[in-house]
Amino acid sequence: MTPFDLTGKLAVVTGARRGIGRAMARALAEAGADVIGVSATLEESGSEVEKDVLAAGRTFEAIRADFADPDAVRALGTALAGRDRPVDILVNNAGTIRRAPATEHPDTDWDTVLQVNLSAQFTLTRAVGAAMVARGRGKIVFTASLLSFQGGITVPGYTAAKHGIAGLTKALANEWAAHGVNVNAIAPGYIATDNTQALQDDPARSKAILERIPAGRWGGPDDLAGATVFLASDAAAYVHGIVLPVDGGWLGR
C-alpha cells in the first residue's frame, strides 16, 4: 500500500469515451480503482475505455448521459449519489468546445458550452459531493484548462466556462475541505485530442503553440495520468482548491 493506491475505490469519470477522459479512467484503474465511465455516446459494452479498465484488473460500468440535457444530468447525479456502493472519486471531465469570433458567436453555441462545461459540472458535483460530505470523505477532480487563466482566441464561451470551473473548484473546496472532501482541478495544456484538432491542423497556429511550449511538444492524454491519480489519492489529502497546470511549461513562459 502507498498513498497513491486506489484499491477498493469507486471512480466516476465523465467524458470517458476517448481522449483525456479515457486516459484518466485507465490511470485510475491501474492505480486500483473500479470505474464508472460516463459519456453521451459511450458504448454499453466493448468500448476502448472498458477494455483499458478490464485489462488493469478492475471492474467497469458504462452510463450514457447527455451533459447538454439538464434533466439528464440531474438524474445522473441522483442515481450516483443513491448507490449502495458510494462514489469515492468524481472526475468531471466531460466538455465541448465551439469556435467562432466573438462578434459572430451564436447564442446557441454559448448556451451549449456553458451548460456542458460549467452548469452540468455543478449539478453533478452538488449531488455526488453532498453524499461525500455526509460520509466525511471523497475526492473531486475537475478538468479546467489553460483558458482558466488566459483568454484564448475565438472561444469566448469555452473560456468563460473554464474560468468558472477554476472558481467553482475553489468555492467548493472552501465549503467541503473541513468535511474530508478534496476538490481540485487539473488544467491540461495543449493536448493532442479532438478538441484541439483545428489547432493542430492550422500550420501557423500549431507552429506558434509549439514555439511557446518549453517542453517542445504537444501533450498527450497520458500526460494527465499522474496528476489525476495524485489528486484522487490520499497523497493529496491536504491539497484543496488548486488548479494544477499540466502544460509542458506553457504558463511559465
Side-chain angles (χ1 to χ4, degrees):
M1 297 286 289
T2 75
F4 300 94
D5 188 4
L6 302 179
T7 300
K9 303 295 186 181
L10 178 61
V12 173
V13 181
T14 70
R17 184 172 180 268
R18 59 189 179 184
I20 289 173
R22 178 185 170 189
M24 288 172 155
R26 179 170 59 247
L28 294 171
E30 290 173 348
D34 296 319
V35 175
I36 297 173
V38 184
S39 173
T41 58
L42 186 60
E43 300 90 339
E44 185 175 331
S45 64
S47 66
E48 294 303 310
V49 64
E50 178 181 22
K51 293 174 184 176
D52 292 342
V53 172
L54 296 181
R58 311 313 306 172
T59 65
F60 181 83
E61 179 182 346
I63 296 178
R64 279 195 175 190
D66 183 358
F67 283 75
D69 180 349
D71 290 336
V73 178
R74 282 190 287 270
L76 175 64
T78 299
L80 290 174
R83 286 187 165 230
D84 291 336
R85 183 182 180 186
V87 174
D88 300 292
I89 301 159
L90 173 62
V91 179
N92 285 300
N93 173 70
T96 191
I97 194 165
R98 299 288 190 274
R99 300 182 186 277
T103 55
E104 305 164 14
H105 207 80
D107 288 349
T108 52
D109 284 359
W110 172 275
D111 292 343
T112 296
V113 169
L114 267 291
Q115 166 57 32
V116 173
N117 291 18
L118 183 58
S119 296
Q121 312 298 319
F122 174 67
T123 300
L124 182 60
T125 304
R126 179 178 58 194
V128 177
M132 291 178 172
V133 167
R135 292 196 310 275
R137 65 183 186 279
K139 307 287 185 181
I140 296 169
V141 181
F142 289 97
T143 296
S145 171
L146 292 182
L147 299 189
S148 297
F149 305 96
Q150 301 176 321
I153 300 170
T154 71
V155 285
Y158 187 85
T159 299
K162 291 302 185 178
H163 270 66
I165 287 294
L168 181 60
T169 297
K170 297 168 188 177
L172 296 180
N174 287 342
E175 292 194 35
W176 294 351
H179 300 281
V181 179
N182 298 77
V183 185
N184 294 291
I186 297 170
Y190 283 92
I191 308 297
T193 66
D194 291 348
N195 268 3
T196 60
Q197 193 63 55
L199 302 179
Q200 297 172 65
D201 292 342
D202 183 330
R205 288 280 280 131
S206 182
K207 181 176 182 291
I209 288 167
L210 281 172
E211 288 174 346
R212 165 74 186 265
I213 300 172
R217 66 173 177 87
W218 284 73
D222 286 336
D223 287 313
L224 283 302
T228 303
V229 172
F230 167 61
L231 292 177
S233 74
D234 288 340
Y238 199 57
V239 179
H240 296 276
I242 68 159
V243 182
L244 174 62
V246 181
D247 65 353
W250 174 278
L251 289 174
R253 283 291 294 266

PDB file of all heavy atoms in Angstrom, residues 82-108:
ATOM      1  N   GLY A  82     -27.189   7.932  -4.899  1.00  0.00           N
ATOM      2  CA  GLY A  82     -28.024   6.971  -4.189  1.00  0.00           C
ATOM      3  C   GLY A  82     -27.552   5.534  -4.266  1.00  0.00           C
ATOM      4  O   GLY A  82     -28.245   4.625  -3.784  1.00  0.00           O
ATOM      5  N   ARG A  83     -26.396   5.275  -4.838  1.00  0.00           N
ATOM      6  CA  ARG A  83     -25.906   3.902  -4.986  1.00  0.00           C
ATOM      7  C   ARG A  83     -25.537   3.288  -3.639  1.00  0.00           C
ATOM      8  O   ARG A  83     -25.069   3.970  -2.729  1.00  0.00           O
ATOM      9  CB  ARG A  83     -24.675   3.882  -5.896  1.00  0.00           C
ATOM     10  CG  ARG A  83     -25.034   4.092  -7.362  1.00  0.00           C
ATOM     11  CD  ARG A  83     -23.832   3.894  -8.251  1.00  0.00           C
ATOM     12  NE  ARG A  83     -24.312   3.753  -9.632  1.00  0.00           N
ATOM     13  CZ  ARG A  83     -23.962   2.783 -10.448  1.00  0.00           C
ATOM     14  NH1 ARG A  83     -23.111   1.850 -10.048  1.00  0.00           N
ATOM     15  NH2 ARG A  83     -24.441   2.729 -11.666  1.00  0.00           N
ATOM     16  N   ASP A  84     -25.717   1.961  -3.572  1.00  0.00           N
ATOM     17  CA  ASP A  84     -25.313   1.248  -2.360  1.00  0.00           C
ATOM     18  C   ASP A  84     -23.808   1.351  -2.149  1.00  0.00           C
ATOM     19  O   ASP A  84     -23.344   1.510  -1.022  1.00  0.00           O
ATOM     20  CB  ASP A  84     -25.729  -0.223  -2.441  1.00  0.00           C
ATOM     21  CG  ASP A  84     -27.233  -0.409  -2.362  1.00  0.00           C
ATOM     22  OD1 ASP A  84     -27.904   0.480  -1.800  1.00  0.00           O
ATOM     23  OD2 ASP A  84     -27.739  -1.429  -2.863  1.00  0.00           O
ATOM     24  N   ARG A  85     -23.051   1.219  -3.233  1.00  0.00           N
ATOM     25  CA  ARG A  85     -21.604   1.418  -3.143  1.00  0.00           C
ATOM     26  C   ARG A  85     -21.313   2.875  -3.440  1.00  0.00           C
ATOM     27  O   ARG A  85     -21.557   3.351  -4.544  1.00  0.00           O
ATOM     28  CB  ARG A  85     -20.862   0.523  -4.128  1.00  0.00           C
ATOM     29  CG  ARG A  85     -19.348   0.654  -4.025  1.00  0.00           C
ATOM     30  CD  ARG A  85     -18.632  -0.206  -5.051  1.00  0.00           C
ATOM     31  NE  ARG A  85     -17.192  -0.051  -4.919  1.00  0.00           N
ATOM     32  CZ  ARG A  85     -16.298  -0.585  -5.747  1.00  0.00           C
ATOM     33  NH1 ARG A  85     -16.711  -1.312  -6.792  1.00  0.00           N
ATOM     34  NH2 ARG A  85     -15.006  -0.399  -5.554  1.00  0.00           N
ATOM     35  N   PRO A  86     -20.784   3.607  -2.483  1.00  0.00           N
ATOM     36  CA  PRO A  86     -20.620   5.049  -2.690  1.00  0.00           C
ATOM     37  C   PRO A  86     -19.513   5.375  -3.678  1.00  0.00           C
ATOM     38  O   PRO A  86     -18.549   4.625  -3.848  1.00  0.00           O
ATOM     39  CB  PRO A  86     -20.266   5.555  -1.282  1.00  0.00           C
ATOM     40  CG  PRO A  86     -19.671   4.387  -0.587  1.00  0.00           C
ATOM     41  CD  PRO A  86     -20.390   3.188  -1.124  1.00  0.00           C
ATOM     42  N   VAL A  87     -19.659   6.518  -4.312  1.00  0.00           N
ATOM     43  CA  VAL A  87     -18.633   7.039  -5.209  1.00  0.00           C
ATOM     44  C   VAL A  87     -17.542   7.686  -4.365  1.00  0.00           C
ATOM     45  O   VAL A  87     -17.800   8.598  -3.582  1.00  0.00           O
ATOM     46  CB  VAL A  87     -19.227   8.070  -6.190  1.00  0.00           C
ATOM     47  CG1 VAL A  87     -18.121   8.708  -7.031  1.00  0.00           C
ATOM     48  CG2 VAL A  87     -20.282   7.417  -7.073  1.00  0.00           C
ATOM     49  N   ASP A  88     -16.317   7.206  -4.524  1.00  0.00           N
ATOM     50  CA  ASP A  88     -15.182   7.752  -3.779  1.00  0.00           C
ATOM     51  C   ASP A  88     -14.482   8.874  -4.529  1.00  0.00           C
ATOM     52  O   ASP A  88     -13.911   9.779  -3.913  1.00  0.00           O
ATOM     53  CB  ASP A  88     -14.150   6.644  -3.505  1.00  0.00           C
ATOM     54  CG  ASP A  88     -14.724   5.494  -2.700  1.00  0.00           C
ATOM     55  OD1 ASP A  88     -15.043   5.713  -1.515  1.00  0.00           O
ATOM     56  OD2 ASP A  88     -14.868   4.389  -3.255  1.00  0.00           O
ATOM     57  N   ILE A  89     -14.503   8.793  -5.862  1.00  0.00           N
ATOM     58  CA  ILE A  89     -13.766   9.735  -6.705  1.00  0.00           C
ATOM     59  C   ILE A  89     -14.684  10.176  -7.845  1.00  0.00           C
ATOM     60  O   ILE A  89     -15.254   9.337  -8.533  1.00  0.00           O
ATOM     61  CB  ILE A  89     -12.508   9.076  -7.303  1.00  0.00           C
ATOM     62  CG1 ILE A  89     -11.572   8.574  -6.208  1.00  0.00           C
ATOM     63  CG2 ILE A  89     -11.787  10.028  -8.247  1.00  0.00           C
ATOM     64  CD1 ILE A  89     -10.604   7.501  -6.678  1.00  0.00           C
ATOM     65  N   LEU A  90     -14.824  11.471  -8.029  1.00  0.00           N
ATOM     66  CA  LEU A  90     -15.581  12.003  -9.154  1.00  0.00           C
ATOM     67  C   LEU A  90     -14.648  12.851 -10.006  1.00  0.00           C
ATOM     68  O   LEU A  90     -14.094  13.850  -9.522  1.00  0.00           O
ATOM     69  CB  LEU A  90     -16.753  12.854  -8.671  1.00  0.00           C
ATOM     70  CG  LEU A  90     -17.520  13.616  -9.762  1.00  0.00           C
ATOM     71  CD1 LEU A  90     -18.171  12.659 -10.758  1.00  0.00           C
ATOM     72  CD2 LEU A  90     -18.571  14.541  -9.147  1.00  0.00           C
ATOM     73  N   VAL A  91     -14.458  12.436 -11.258  1.00  0.00           N
ATOM     74  CA  VAL A  91     -13.641  13.199 -12.196  1.00  0.00           C
ATOM     75  C   VAL A  91     -14.571  13.846 -13.218  1.00  0.00           C
ATOM     76  O   VAL A  91     -15.165  13.169 -14.056  1.00  0.00           O
ATOM     77  CB  VAL A  91     -12.603  12.301 -12.900  1.00  0.00           C
ATOM     78  CG1 VAL A  91     -11.788  13.123 -13.899  1.00  0.00           C
ATOM     79  CG2 VAL A  91     -11.675  11.647 -11.875  1.00  0.00           C
ATOM     80  N   ASN A  92     -14.696  15.161 -13.127  1.00  0.00           N
ATOM     81  CA  ASN A  92     -15.581  15.935 -14.004  1.00  0.00           C
ATOM     82  C   ASN A  92     -14.806  16.350 -15.247  1.00  0.00           C
ATOM     83  O   ASN A  92     -14.223  17.435 -15.301  1.00  0.00           O
ATOM     84  CB  ASN A  92     -16.079  17.182 -13.273  1.00  0.00           C
ATOM     85  CG  ASN A  92     -17.141  16.875 -12.253  1.00  0.00           C
ATOM     86  OD1 ASN A  92     -18.184  16.353 -12.581  1.00  0.00           O
ATOM     87  ND2 ASN A  92     -16.859  17.209 -10.999  1.00  0.00           N
ATOM     88  N   ASN A  93     -14.808  15.498 -16.253  1.00  0.00           N
ATOM     89  CA  ASN A  93     -14.017  15.760 -17.441  1.00  0.00           C
ATOM     90  C   ASN A  93     -14.857  16.060 -18.684  1.00  0.00           C
ATOM     91  O   ASN A  93     -14.325  16.572 -19.674  1.00  0.00           O
ATOM     92  CB  ASN A  93     -13.101  14.560 -17.728  1.00  0.00           C
ATOM     93  CG  ASN A  93     -12.367  14.695 -19.032  1.00  0.00           C
ATOM     94  OD1 ASN A  93     -11.476  15.536 -19.174  1.00  0.00           O
ATOM     95  ND2 ASN A  93     -12.756  13.887 -20.009  1.00  0.00           N
ATOM     96  N   ALA A  94     -16.138  15.763 -18.663  1.00  0.00           N
ATOM     97  CA  ALA A  94     -16.971  15.984 -19.860  1.00  0.00           C
ATOM     98  C   ALA A  94     -16.891  17.441 -20.301  1.00  0.00           C
ATOM     99  O   ALA A  94     -16.872  18.363 -19.481  1.00  0.00           O
ATOM    100  CB  ALA A  94     -18.415  15.614 -19.567  1.00  0.00           C
ATOM    101  N   GLY A  95     -16.832  17.645 -21.613  1.00  0.00           N
ATOM    102  CA  GLY A  95     -16.765  19.012 -22.107  1.00  0.00           C
ATOM    103  C   GLY A  95     -16.963  19.086 -23.605  1.00  0.00           C
ATOM    104  O   GLY A  95     -16.936  18.069 -24.305  1.00  0.00           O
ATOM    105  N   THR A  96     -17.172  20.301 -24.074  1.00  0.00           N
ATOM    106  CA  THR A  96     -17.303  20.542 -25.507  1.00  0.00           C
ATOM    107  C   THR A  96     -16.733  21.913 -25.804  1.00  0.00           C
ATOM    108  O   THR A  96     -16.467  22.708 -24.884  1.00  0.00           O
ATOM    109  CB  THR A  96     -18.770  20.446 -25.954  1.00  0.00           C
ATOM    110  OG1 THR A  96     -18.844  20.435 -27.376  1.00  0.00           O
ATOM    111  CG2 THR A  96     -19.606  21.599 -25.399  1.00  0.00           C
ATOM    112  N   ILE A  97     -16.532  22.204 -27.087  1.00  0.00           N
ATOM    113  CA  ILE A  97     -15.977  23.500 -27.477  1.00  0.00           C
ATOM    114  C   ILE A  97     -16.643  23.945 -28.776  1.00  0.00           C
ATOM    115  O   ILE A  97     -17.019  23.111 -29.614  1.00  0.00           O
ATOM    116  CB  ILE A  97     -14.440  23.408 -27.643  1.00  0.00           C
ATOM    117  CG1 ILE A  97     -13.804  24.792 -27.706  1.00  0.00           C
ATOM    118  CG2 ILE A  97     -14.061  22.558 -28.847  1.00  0.00           C
ATOM    119  CD1 ILE A  97     -12.292  24.773 -27.515  1.00  0.00           C
ATOM    120  N   ARG A  98     -16.851  25.229 -28.927  1.00  0.00           N
ATOM    121  CA  ARG A  98     -17.373  25.820 -30.149  1.00  0.00           C
ATOM    122  C   ARG A  98     -16.478  27.002 -30.514  1.00  0.00           C
ATOM    123  O   ARG A  98     -16.207  27.859 -29.658  1.00  0.00           O
ATOM    124  CB  ARG A  98     -18.817  26.303 -29.973  1.00  0.00           C
ATOM    125  CG  ARG A  98     -19.811  25.212 -29.612  1.00  0.00           C
ATOM    126  CD  ARG A  98     -20.094  24.288 -30.791  1.00  0.00           C
ATOM    127  NE  ARG A  98     -21.208  23.397 -30.485  1.00  0.00           N
ATOM    128  CZ  ARG A  98     -21.097  22.234 -29.853  1.00  0.00           C
ATOM    129  NH1 ARG A  98     -19.905  21.827 -29.426  1.00  0.00           N
ATOM    130  NH2 ARG A  98     -22.164  21.479 -29.626  1.00  0.00           N
ATOM    131  N   ARG A  99     -16.033  27.051 -31.756  1.00  0.00           N
ATOM    132  CA  ARG A  99     -15.105  28.096 -32.188  1.00  0.00           C
ATOM    133  C   ARG A  99     -15.794  29.045 -33.170  1.00  0.00           C
ATOM    134  O   ARG A  99     -16.322  28.608 -34.184  1.00  0.00           O
ATOM    135  CB  ARG A  99     -13.864  27.475 -32.850  1.00  0.00           C
ATOM    136  CG  ARG A  99     -13.075  26.557 -31.941  1.00  0.00           C
ATOM    137  CD  ARG A  99     -11.829  25.996 -32.628  1.00  0.00           C
ATOM    138  NE  ARG A  99     -11.173  25.009 -31.792  1.00  0.00           N
ATOM    139  CZ  ARG A  99     -10.321  25.278 -30.817  1.00  0.00           C
ATOM    140  NH1 ARG A  99     -10.006  26.545 -30.568  1.00  0.00           N
ATOM    141  NH2 ARG A  99      -9.783  24.318 -30.093  1.00  0.00           N
ATOM    142  N   ALA A 100     -15.784  30.318 -32.841  1.00  0.00           N
ATOM    143  CA  ALA A 100     -16.258  31.368 -33.743  1.00  0.00           C
ATOM    144  C   ALA A 100     -15.839  32.707 -33.153  1.00  0.00           C
ATOM    145  O   ALA A 100     -15.808  32.857 -31.919  1.00  0.00           O
ATOM    146  CB  ALA A 100     -17.774  31.325 -33.915  1.00  0.00           C
ATOM    147  N   PRO A 101     -15.493  33.691 -33.986  1.00  0.00           N
ATOM    148  CA  PRO A 101     -15.162  35.016 -33.453  1.00  0.00           C
ATOM    149  C   PRO A 101     -16.294  35.542 -32.575  1.00  0.00           C
ATOM    150  O   PRO A 101     -17.476  35.266 -32.827  1.00  0.00           O
ATOM    151  CB  PRO A 101     -14.991  35.864 -34.715  1.00  0.00           C
ATOM    152  CG  PRO A 101     -14.640  34.878 -35.789  1.00  0.00           C
ATOM    153  CD  PRO A 101     -15.393  33.631 -35.456  1.00  0.00           C
ATOM    154  N   ALA A 102     -15.932  36.307 -31.564  1.00  0.00           N
ATOM    155  CA  ALA A 102     -16.928  36.778 -30.604  1.00  0.00           C
ATOM    156  C   ALA A 102     -18.057  37.549 -31.267  1.00  0.00           C
ATOM    157  O   ALA A 102     -19.223  37.452 -30.861  1.00  0.00           O
ATOM    158  CB  ALA A 102     -16.253  37.630 -29.530  1.00  0.00           C
ATOM    159  N   THR A 103     -17.752  38.323 -32.310  1.00  0.00           N
ATOM    160  CA  THR A 103     -18.791  39.103 -32.972  1.00  0.00           C
ATOM    161  C   THR A 103     -19.786  38.238 -33.727  1.00  0.00           C
ATOM    162  O   THR A 103     -20.870  38.704 -34.089  1.00  0.00           O
ATOM    163  CB  THR A 103     -18.170  40.103 -33.973  1.00  0.00           C
ATOM    164  OG1 THR A 103     -17.339  39.393 -34.900  1.00  0.00           O
ATOM    165  CG2 THR A 103     -17.340  41.149 -33.238  1.00  0.00           C
ATOM    166  N   GLU A 104     -19.419  36.986 -33.970  1.00  0.00           N
ATOM    167  CA  GLU A 104     -20.279  36.068 -34.726  1.00  0.00           C
ATOM    168  C   GLU A 104     -20.683  34.844 -33.900  1.00  0.00           C
ATOM    169  O   GLU A 104     -21.308  33.926 -34.429  1.00  0.00           O
ATOM    170  CB  GLU A 104     -19.526  35.590 -35.978  1.00  0.00           C
ATOM    171  CG  GLU A 104     -19.006  36.713 -36.854  1.00  0.00           C
ATOM    172  CD  GLU A 104     -17.959  36.240 -37.850  1.00  0.00           C
ATOM    173  OE1 GLU A 104     -17.841  35.006 -38.028  1.00  0.00           O
ATOM    174  OE2 GLU A 104     -17.263  37.080 -38.437  1.00  0.00           O
ATOM    175  N   HIS A 105     -20.349  34.862 -32.621  1.00  0.00           N
ATOM    176  CA  HIS A 105     -20.553  33.669 -31.801  1.00  0.00           C
ATOM    177  C   HIS A 105     -22.038  33.489 -31.486  1.00  0.00           C
ATOM    178  O   HIS A 105     -22.643  34.340 -30.820  1.00  0.00           O
ATOM    179  CB  HIS A 105     -19.757  33.795 -30.500  1.00  0.00           C
ATOM    180  CG  HIS A 105     -19.358  32.491 -29.895  1.00  0.00           C
ATOM    181  ND1 HIS A 105     -18.277  31.760 -30.332  1.00  0.00           N
ATOM    182  CD2 HIS A 105     -19.910  31.771 -28.895  1.00  0.00           C
ATOM    183  CE1 HIS A 105     -18.159  30.659 -29.629  1.00  0.00           C
ATOM    184  NE2 HIS A 105     -19.147  30.630 -28.747  1.00  0.00           N
ATOM    185  N   PRO A 106     -22.676  32.408 -31.953  1.00  0.00           N
ATOM    186  CA  PRO A 106     -24.122  32.254 -31.754  1.00  0.00           C
ATOM    187  C   PRO A 106     -24.501  32.028 -30.293  1.00  0.00           C
ATOM    188  O   PRO A 106     -23.748  31.403 -29.529  1.00  0.00           O
ATOM    189  CB  PRO A 106     -24.456  30.999 -32.579  1.00  0.00           C
ATOM    190  CG  PRO A 106     -23.281  30.760 -33.466  1.00  0.00           C
ATOM    191  CD  PRO A 106     -22.101  31.303 -32.738  1.00  0.00           C
ATOM    192  N   ASP A 107     -25.656  32.508 -29.922  1.00  0.00           N
ATOM    193  CA  ASP A 107     -26.169  32.253 -28.579  1.00  0.00           C
ATOM    194  C   ASP A 107     -26.275  30.753 -28.305  1.00  0.00           C
ATOM    195  O   ASP A 107     -26.039  30.304 -27.176  1.00  0.00           O
ATOM    196  CB  ASP A 107     -27.554  32.889 -28.403  1.00  0.00           C
ATOM    197  CG  ASP A 107     -27.498  34.403 -28.306  1.00  0.00           C
ATOM    198  OD1 ASP A 107     -26.382  34.954 -28.166  1.00  0.00           O
ATOM    199  OD2 ASP A 107     -28.572  35.032 -28.377  1.00  0.00           O
ATOM    200  N   THR A 108     -26.661  29.993 -29.323  1.00  0.00           N
ATOM    201  CA  THR A 108     -26.823  28.551 -29.121  1.00  0.00           C
ATOM    202  C   THR A 108     -25.494  27.891 -28.750  1.00  0.00           C
ATOM    203  O   THR A 108     -25.454  26.999 -27.892  1.00  0.00           O
ATOM    204  CB  THR A 108     -27.389  27.890 -30.385  1.00  0.00           C
ATOM    205  OG1 THR A 108     -26.586  28.259 -31.524  1.00  0.00           O
ATOM    206  CG2 THR A 108     -28.832  28.312 -30.618  1.00  0.00           C
TER     207      THR A 108
END
